[in-house]
Amino acid sequence: MNDLTPLLTAEGQALLAELRDFDPARELAVATRLRREHPADLVSAAIGQARLRQRAVAKFGAEDAYRMYFTPNGVEQSTRKSVAGYRAGRLAALGVRTVADLCSGIGGDAIAFARAGIRVLAVDRDPLTAAAVRANAAALGLTALIEVRCADVMATDVSEYDAVFVDPARRGGRGRVFDPEAYSPPLSWAIEAARTRPYAALKIAPGVPHELIPDDFHAEWISDEGDVKEAVLWRGTPATGTGPGAGIGATLLPGPYTLSGRGLPDPPVRPVGRYLYEPDGAVIRAHLVAEAAEELNGGLIDETIAYITSDEPHPDHPFTTAYEITDELPFHLKRLKALLREREVGTLTVKKRGSAVEPEELRRRVKPQGPNAATVFLTRVSGAPTMLIGRPVRATG
């Protein structure tokens, strides 16, 4: 697919509507039938777009995804609707009314900005991607707020905009790029571009080293429904928290719930208590486990392991998942197998942190059977390989 124009015709629209719920397993039969009445190239393009729309539902929801237009890379790399909406809301709350969206992709962020009432310049150097943004703006009734430009972002004048948003490409010919200077454009260029405007947000990989965060930016790690999605470098936003850790935050969606850095020292290591708390990945990436442990009145089970233990129940703590621990055993598979058989555990959830054992291998070897459920943690406690057995503590809200 290198041109969206045929899909925007009445014939193309009718084909897309017919293919909305088609079964990809029957693609050959569907294509053969449709080619009797429509040009083969149009049928291929429509089927390809229908597949992309089905994949995009997870990110954009059915209402938007089945009206939008995608490229394969656009589906893979676009921002999830909930995350883009949260970020757009932050900028709108600061009074931002215009934003230059550099490396716009298929327009997921531009759409969110526009829906927040912000006028957007969406820039992407790929003609097909730029065409997708135009088509998406039209399909969602946002053309008046989204200007699309097919151009090099590094040559784009952003001086008339309140804010810049940069989402550099983090994939190359060999897959994911981990060096921020290998982003396209490089992170250093994005940082300098951000410094030219009152407000800015730079989307980066969540694994970025903390030492690369400039002093004049705030960093936020964002997870959605338990999955870490990205990190954002903010400029022009108020600092979060107090002390040396101010400006570092972890935000969980839906919510949003934000945990702010306070520059706390590492929590103490203490014996395993009645409850074990697993911090959200955004909390771990933001190096805010100490802040979460303080809120739980807890400590670590090991100085190198991000599990928090406490004798107090906090099932509603938004930044961690709580488990009640029933057993603490030295790592020994035969002993674990016997215990699970004795308790008739057939549904076994295996979590690991600091262990080389793979969950699937453990399940294969212990062969759980029975009507009951349990969670086993393969980890270290004060340096010793340990198995912790427990069950989730359900939130009351």
Side-chain angles (χ1 to χ4, degrees), residues 32-333:
T32 300
R33 174 177 60 81
L34 292 176
R35 284 170 180 156
R36 298 189 188 113
E37 301 177 5
H38 304 279
D41 288 350
L42 178 59
V43 171
S44 295
I47 288 176
Q49 192 60 228
R51 285 199 306 266
L52 294 175
R53 286 180 167 184
Q54 290 179 356
R55 286 171 53 193
V57 168
K59 281 191 173 183
F60 291 91
E63 184 178 356
D64 281 353
Y66 285 115
R67 292 187 289 166
M68 293 173 66
Y69 298 85
F70 301 95
T71 65
N73 286 340
V75 172
E76 181 70 25
Q77 299 177 22
S78 58
T79 304
R80 185 178 291 237
K81 180 179 179 179
S82 55
V83 178
Y86 162 74
R87 185 167 42 240
R90 280 201 64 178
L91 286 178
L94 291 168
V96 170
R97 293 296 172 260
T98 59
V99 61
D101 179 359
L102 307 181
C103 309
S104 66
I106 53 88
D109 287 284
I111 290 165
F113 291 136
R115 284 175 167 169
I118 300 173
R119 184 168 61 85
V120 189
L121 169 66
V123 185
D124 200 284
R125 67 182 180 183
D126 177 63
L128 180 61
T129 302
V133 184
R134 290 191 186 93
N136 289 334
L140 300 177
L142 299 170
T143 301
L145 286 169
I146 300 177
E147 175 191 351
V148 182
R149 191 177 301 172
C150 184
D152 181 356
V153 298
M154 297 177 71
T156 300
D157 181 7
V158 298
S159 59
E160 66 179 84
Y161 296 89
D162 299 335
V164 294
F165 171 68
V166 188
D167 181 7
R170 294 181 297 281
R171 288 184 180 273
R174 297 184 178 181
R176 193 177 300 275
V177 172
F178 296 97
D179 178 6
E181 286 308 293
Y183 293 175
S184 180
L187 180 59
S188 58
W189 178 89
I191 287 171
E192 291 307 314
R195 286 175 173 149
T196 68
R197 309 314 310 139
Y199 304 99
L202 312 180
K203 178 179 172 181
I204 56 177
V208 66
H210 280 228
E211 57 267 25
L212 295 184
I213 300 169
D215 292 339
D216 54 338
F217 283 75
H218 302 144
E220 178 182 35
W221 279 258
I222 301 174
S223 73
D224 185 39
E225 297 184 347
D227 292 330
V228 183
K229 295 302 178 184
E230 63 185 58
V232 183
L233 299 184
W234 293 95
R235 179 172 168 80
T237 54
T240 59
T242 59
I248 299 293
T251 294
L252 280 56
L253 302 175
Y257 303 100
T258 297
L259 182 65
S260 299
R262 299 189 294 279
L264 299 181
D266 291 339
V269 175
R270 53 152 290 178
V272 176
R274 182 175 178 182
Y275 298 96
L276 188 75
Y277 294 90
E278 182 181 26
D280 184 271
V283 172
I284 296 173
R285 295 278 195 171
H287 298 178
L288 297 180
V289 173
E291 281 74 4
E294 183 180 68
E295 293 187 359
L296 297 167
N297 194 26
L300 299 181
I301 63 171
D302 185 278
E303 63 181 6
T304 64
I305 303 295
Y307 282 138
I308 300 168
T309 188
S310 173
D311 290 317
E312 302 173 9
H314 296 277
D316 297 309
H317 190 250
F319 305 106
T320 58
T321 302
Y323 297 86
E324 184 176 13
I325 299 301
T326 57
D327 300 89
E328 176 183 354
L329 306 169
F331 182 79
H332 196 285
L333 285 180

Side-chain angles (χ1 to χ4, degrees), residues 15-36:
L15 269 175
L16 287 173
E18 183 176 349
L19 289 166
R20 173 185 168 119
D21 299 316
F22 96 104
D23 181 0
R26 300 188 63 252
E27 181 175 322
L28 180 59
V30 171
T32 300
R33 174 177 60 81
L34 292 176
R35 284 170 180 156
R36 298 189 188 113

